[in-house]
Amino acid sequence: MASQETEETRQILSRTALSFPSPRVVHDLLSVGVCPRCIFRLFGVHGQAYCCSAITASVLQSFLEEQKSCDNGTAKNGLVSDGLVRCSYTSQESENGQAYCCICLGVLQLACEQDQEMMTTSKDGSIDDFTATIAELVKRENHHIDGFSIEVSIPPVIVANERAIWMYMNKKYKCEEWFKDKIPSQHISVKDALRLSINTSLENHLGVKSGVDSFRFRLNYSHLDASRMLQSSLANDRTCKKQKTDKKDSGDSLDDSHKSNLKNSNEHLRSESDAVILRTLESMLDHAFCEHFVIPPEKALKPCQLTTTCYRMPIYIGGRYLKFSRKVSQSRWIIDDERMGEASVEEIVGSNALLVCKGDNYKFHAAGREDIDVRMLGSGRPFLVEVSNARYMPSMIDVQLIVEKINNSDKKYVRVRNLKVVNSQAWTLMREGEAEKQKQYAALVWISRALTEEDLHNISSRKDLDIIQRTPIRVLHRRSPLERKKIIHWMKIERIAGSCQYFLLHLCTQAGTYIKEFVHGDLGRTHPSIGAILGCRAEILQLDVTDVKMDFFD
Amino acid sequence: MEESKEDETLERDSLETVEKKEEAGEDLRSLLLPDIKDLPPIPPSAVESNFVRYFAADFMKPGHDQYVYRHANGLCVIGLAPTHVALREKGGVTAVDYNVGKSDRSEMKVTGKRKRNAQHFESNSALCKVCANGTFYVVRCCVKGSLLEVNDRLIKQPDLLNSSADREGYIAIIMPKPADWLKIKDSLLSHEDYRKLRGL
């Protein structure tokens, strides 16, 4: 019971203490305001120590005092033990003090503010209570998960605090043996320590394992006051630097410019991202750091604010679609609040996928596109739907349900085939070599004279015909005026019974070829065109895509 | 010959696939073939379907009839109308020169989606000179806007103006600002009004 727990705790602490240089150092850090978990981090402790809720600052303190009395005055490194006199940290302070860890600002103490309410009132929060709140989110959002991973975001000021503690230790212990071998990279990061602390407990609440990337909890910590102080410290550093370079340039008095610089820097820094701040800190030399930062860092009177969210990484559903209507565009097309066309493939496919997966949003990606008045027939065009924050991973039955909803709808505009869940690499694969893929079409063509047998032969004998297309007039308003070389791989004329001037033109072309312009010539800007080849006027009435040659979702 | 059960199944499966493919092919063909009844004897041309045709009669000079084909996207194709006096000359058009006064219009190179380096012209700016039967006729923009393209094929093949001034013999492509188009639109004739005016 209680004594067993205490026994376990003691064992954990004993193992942990092996990493400590001496109890005196740990005392000192505790008195400066570093929390136990941050102390563990600084000395490279791993394992159970982090998820033991029982280890509070006072418990650690008592354990160290016990150790000291056992050691009986003989300390490491031959130095005379300081005894307890030097230690200004008393157990009273640990219970009644309102300060939070001077490095992690309460993050590793699991003390934070969430939506104006304090998550924990004591400085050393229970791990289980903390993770219970996080686990609640899953139920509230109706997520069904197989695992999770934890994403942590902490304010850059914590990095500055850690460096300040490092500088403090450097000042105090740089002559001691144990410190000489120590390097900052041995520290465990706050983020990793937090994960070590709460992973197992969260696994128990949710009944699934951690380390699964597809579902994430995001713990977003912020601390307005501390961040503001960091910004003013950085601003001071910046003005000092500017003063130094200005002094180099001119010997004038810089009082006025100093004031304006300070103002500018402050405003500038307010909008700087975390990444920029971290870079600035990293590039700052030690002596500059010591000049502008408080060493050791001040204890925090308020903990961080925490916002927790959870989400599933996007899932991808891919397949091929066919479009049977000449009034349906591929993507959603709305001008001035008015929809062009009767529907879109994007919305028909995307909305059904979203419905079945119970996601927040969808994005539609296709391998190329066709005009609204062009049908997509044959084996169909490869596409991907990206569903964000799906509430659960769709099974094969769910995917089949999506197929049915689309294919059996009463309008019959669109069909999908070979639909299945794919991974995120599918997007890259689909885009790869898109420019090389060949497409096959069937066009309904009219010419200004009667078709002859010679024409049929003339057309079908041309293989890999080179043509040059200037940017078609119909897209010239939004595309660059260029001349594009394209290849028509083969063509075949199919006569239409009952007509001598209409025929079906089957052709296979390089990706990116404008077929309509190849038929009517676009006022001579596509050359050669069908009209030019046959020596008469040619017009196109209808176009259908009959094959998109890709080994993708085939 | 004895065939194992597996071979039989494989053969049957591949036969089914072939049959399925043939069926799909048949379905496709039936979708592609049009109904003859629906086909008009002469379909509308690409120009008729995609542009609205406007005309400027006697633009700045009598007999200088030009067309302005406006696309739904706002671009305007400029050219000589069939009743242009140059097309009536003996021997037709024999030369086209884009070098008009200040610059050679065929030298300009417009680049980029935004076409920022395109030159701006007024409606009465000169585009080119066409020579017919020894006389030079000036062709003008008719529309205020940026000059996107000139039909430089006319330089080597001026005869295009005689064979198809209304299509391959176009003169230039201009992009007017929406406001500028609205100002000039009402001074242009519709296709019908132009035909009535010229008694076609």
Side-chain angles (χ1 to χ4, degrees), chain A residues 197-372:
Chain A
S197 310
I198 63 176
N199 254 346
T200 319
S201 172
L202 199 49
E203 280 178 351
N204 291 337
H205 277 297
L206 295 170
V208 293
K209 287 286 172 201
S210 73
V212 173
D213 197 48
S214 55
F215 184 84
R216 298 199 189 168
F217 289 104
R218 190 177 160 86
L219 283 83
N220 207 326
Y221 289 94
S222 61
H223 199 293
L224 271 177
D225 293 341
S227 300
R228 246 180 249 138
M229 290 207 47
L230 171 68
Q231 276 172 354
S232 60
S233 302
L234 289 178
N236 289 338
D237 173 65
R238 190 168 281 202
T239 33
C240 278
K241 278 206 196 111
K242 186 146 204 320
Q243 278 183 330
K244 285 195 185 125
T245 49
D246 285 345
K247 266 203 193 115
K248 271 198 242 152
D249 298 337
S250 70
D252 300 325
S253 152
L254 294 159
D255 280 304
D256 294 324
S257 57
H258 168 80
K259 284 202 191 101
S260 65
N261 280 340
L262 194 62
K263 183 166 170 287
N264 290 338
S265 313
N266 269 336
E267 279 166 19
H268 181 60
L269 278 170
R270 218 166 291 151
S271 58
E272 269 179 3
S273 68
D274 283 359
V276 174
I277 296 175
L278 286 170
R279 244 184 285 143
T280 316
L281 281 171
E282 205 168 323
S283 62
M284 204 182 277
L285 298 172
D286 284 346
H287 68 270
F289 187 87
C290 293
E291 236 181 88
H292 301 290
F293 285 86
V294 180
I295 295 174
E298 283 166 4
K299 300 180 195 181
L301 294 170
K302 280 200 283 187
C304 286
Q305 268 193 311
L306 170 64
T307 332
T308 317
T309 50
C310 68
Y311 60 95
R312 182 184 288 279
M313 295 293 281
I315 58 170
Y316 296 84
I317 300 178
R320 285 195 179 229
Y321 75 83
L322 284 82
K323 180 165 86 86
F324 295 103
S325 164
R326 296 197 190 276
K327 303 219 176 90
V328 172
S329 55
Q330 191 201 64
S331 47
R332 208 162 151 260
W333 192 9
I334 303 204
I335 299 181
D336 294 334
D337 290 338
E338 230 185 277
R339 173 192 288 284
M340 311 302 266
E342 286 178 11
S344 71
V345 177
E346 176 183 41
E347 286 166 292
I348 294 172
V349 175
S351 61
N352 280 305
L354 190 71
L355 203 71
V356 172
C357 298
K358 295 206 180 62
D360 284 346
N361 250 315
Y362 66 85
K363 278 194 208 151
F364 183 83
H365 313 279
R369 54 183 184 220
E370 65 280 335
D371 291 342
I372 185 171

Side-chain angles (χ1 to χ4, degrees), chain A residues 375 476 494 502 525 539, chain B residues 29 31 40 46 115 149 152:
Chain A
R375 294 184 299 183
L476 187 54
E494 185 185 332
Y502 282 101
R525 297 165 75 261
E539 304 290 356
Chain B
R29 285 196 71 248
L31 278 172
K115 301 150 184 83
E149 184 181 297
D152 46 16

